[in-house]
């Protein structure tokens, strides 16, 4: 089971829409998800190590270097609402998806 977190600047509107997009993607890919959380970048930065995958806007991935070093897969998205981009990057990330 994957634990996924999605983050945006304030953790309100955009991250909630990212969460809904993520729900569609994991359902279409038939993935088992334990926890799917949306939050602000500041909360996400401190909580990222508790998740297998973190999605955030591409320009914020550098904020998650510590989590990456501890094994969290951080995926930056150019278009945070694009299910196709999210699915493609998740498949190419190397995360164990079964």
């Amino acid at each position: 089971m994957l634990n996924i977190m999605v983050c945006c600047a304030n953790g309100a509107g955009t991250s909630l829409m990212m969460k809904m997009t993520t729900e569609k993607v994991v359902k279409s890919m038939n993935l088992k998800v334990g926890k799917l959380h949306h939050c602000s970048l500041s909360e996400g930065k401190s909580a990222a190590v508790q998740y297998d995958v973190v999605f955030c806007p591409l320009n914020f991935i550098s904020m998650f270097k510590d989590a990456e070093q501890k094994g969290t897969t951080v995926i930056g998205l150019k278009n945070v609402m694009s299910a196709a981009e999210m699915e493609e990057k998740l498949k190419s990330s190397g995360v164990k998806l079964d």
Side-chain angles (χ1 to χ4, degrees):
M1 275 200 182
L2 286 176
N3 291 317
I4 301 172
M5 180 171 62
V6 296
C7 303
C8 74
N10 296 319
T14 303
S15 68
L16 180 58
M17 290 187 288
M18 286 172 70
K19 179 182 177 185
M20 292 168 26
T21 301
T22 305
E23 288 169 342
K24 290 178 194 171
V25 168
V26 297
K27 186 176 181 180
S28 74
M29 294 175 71
N30 203 25
L31 299 177
K32 290 181 176 28
V33 175
K35 186 166 38 168
L36 177 55
H37 179 63
H38 74 97
C39 62
S40 66
L41 287 166
S42 58
E43 179 188 336
K45 185 177 178 183
S46 60
V49 295
Q50 300 169 27
Y51 293 86
D52 301 304
V53 178
V54 173
F55 286 109
C56 67
L58 194 57
N59 50 327
F60 294 116
I61 58 172
S62 62
M63 293 180 68
F64 296 96
K65 289 290 181 213
D66 289 345
E68 271 188 313
Q69 291 173 350
K70 293 176 181 168
T72 299
T73 300
V74 180
I75 300 174
L77 300 170
K78 188 174 182 179
N79 177 354
V80 296
M81 300 302 141
S82 170
E85 179 184 3
M86 190 177 282
E87 182 174 341
E88 174 192 324
K89 289 192 172 179
L90 188 56
K91 285 179 179 175
S92 65
S93 70
V95 173
K96 190 175 180 195
L97 298 176
D98 48 11

